[in-house]
Amino acid sequence: DQQVKQNSPSLSVQEGRISILNCDYTNSMFDYFLWYKKYPAEGPTFLISISSIKDKNEDGRFTVFLNKSAKHLSLHIVPSQPGDSAVYFCAALDGGAAGNQFYFGTGTSLTVIP
Amino acid sequence: KAGVTQTPRYLIKTRGQQVTLSCSPISGHRSVSWYQQTPGQGLQFLFEYFSETQRNKGNFPGRFSGRQFSNSRSEMNVSTLELGDSALYLCASSSGNRHYGYTFGSGTRLTVV
């Protein structure tokens, strides 16, 4: 059962425009969320995170929004650049569990068109 | 500082064989986790080790096992390989603080033929 879902397998955006990647989750115990970016033949790299006590976190061109009531988070990239083309995974951490088990979505492949 | 190192990068095995993958975490990191990535399934959690003890285990059959050594290096073993085990296996390390996320290695691409 997929507890973290990324329903858009792919997204194409023109350079300079906004990219919005979405993620939904089902487990209300999730209290920490992260976004990772993955290039082919490389491991995922950490991008940005947000705690459930916040509804927004910004880091440069990247902003993550969390809507707890809707169990939804989104990643905004403004402006989008060709180097942002990659697969983006959202991940959630179960606050009630021991250890560091992150639940990942299936990823969204972003293509930024020059 | 050096990142997470996984060896080998690529591996081809035959059905029924067993395989051992290795992961060296970032120096000072005591938590090592393993994930399996397959197309359409995203990253599926296998297990996490912290200070040589398995702290969490995902929903994988007993053919998948792991261990962690005193220097925090970890190995993952898959016995009686099946075609469906073909995947990218990723190792990630963290300091153990649950809110700092992971640093991933580049992975081992396992192909079972």
Side-chain angles (χ1 to χ4, degrees):
Chain A
D1 179 31
Q2 196 76 24
Q3 298 189 50
V4 177
K5 298 179 183 178
Q6 294 176 256
N7 292 319
S8 297
S10 61
L11 176 68
S12 291
V13 172
Q14 289 285 338
E15 180 178 3
R17 305 293 291 269
I18 183 171
S19 295
I20 300 176
L21 294 90
N22 294 304
C23 180
D24 297 295
Y25 61 96
T26 58
N27 189 338
S28 57
M29 293 299 292
F30 289 156
D31 66 349
Y32 199 72
F33 304 88
L34 303 93
W35 284 92
Y36 282 85
K37 180 168 75 171
K38 185 179 185 301
Y39 293 115
E42 295 181 14
T45 56
F46 170 78
L47 196 57
I48 192 169
S49 64
I50 188 168
S51 166
S52 61
I53 63 173
K54 295 185 175 183
D55 54 20
K56 177 183 173 182
N57 189 28
E58 274 184 270
D59 184 1
R61 296 186 297 113
F62 302 91
T63 302
V64 56
F65 295 92
L66 176 62
N67 182 334
K68 288 188 293 294
S69 61
K71 294 192 178 69
H72 176 84
L73 66 155
S74 60
L75 174 68
H76 292 209
I77 306 173
V78 184
S80 300
Q81 300 173 354
D84 296 329
S85 297
V87 178
Y88 290 78
F89 292 96
C90 69
L93 182 63
D94 185 344
N100 280 341
Q101 179 173 349
F102 284 88
Y103 294 81
F104 282 83
T106 51
T108 296
S109 178
L110 173 66
T111 301
V112 180
I113 304 164
Chain B
K1 61 185 177 183
V4 179
T5 303
Q6 289 189 247
T7 57
R9 287 296 307 274
Y10 301 93
L11 206 49
I12 300 175
K13 289 286 188 178
T14 305
R15 261 186 312 175
Q17 286 187 311
Q18 76 163 20
V19 67
T20 299
L21 313 181
S22 179
C23 172
S24 293
I26 289 173
S27 178
H29 281 190
R30 295 163 64 190
S31 168
V32 174
S33 299
W34 290 88
Y35 284 82
Q36 181 195 64
Q37 185 187 10
T38 53
Q41 290 293 318
L43 284 82
Q44 302 289 315
F45 174 75
L46 280 153
F47 26 67
E48 182 204 10
Y49 285 88
F50 183 81
S51 295
E52 301 180 65
T53 301
Q54 188 180 85
R55 190 158 69 170
N56 264 322
K57 189 177 191 306
N59 190 25
F60 277 81
R63 301 185 297 107
F64 292 82
S65 63
R67 59 178 175 169
Q68 187 180 33
F69 302 95
S70 58
N71 62 359
S72 292
R73 190 178 72 86
S74 178
E75 288 183 346
M76 189 191 95
N77 184 275
V78 188
S79 63
T80 320
L81 284 166
E82 300 176 359
L83 295 179
D85 298 332
S86 295
L88 178 67
Y89 289 88
L90 290 159
C91 158
S93 78
S94 77
S95 63
N97 183 312
R98 65 206 315 273
H99 287 162
Y100 283 115
Y102 294 140
T103 300
F104 280 89
S106 296
T108 294
R109 172 72 65 183
L110 171 65
T111 302
V112 182
V113 297

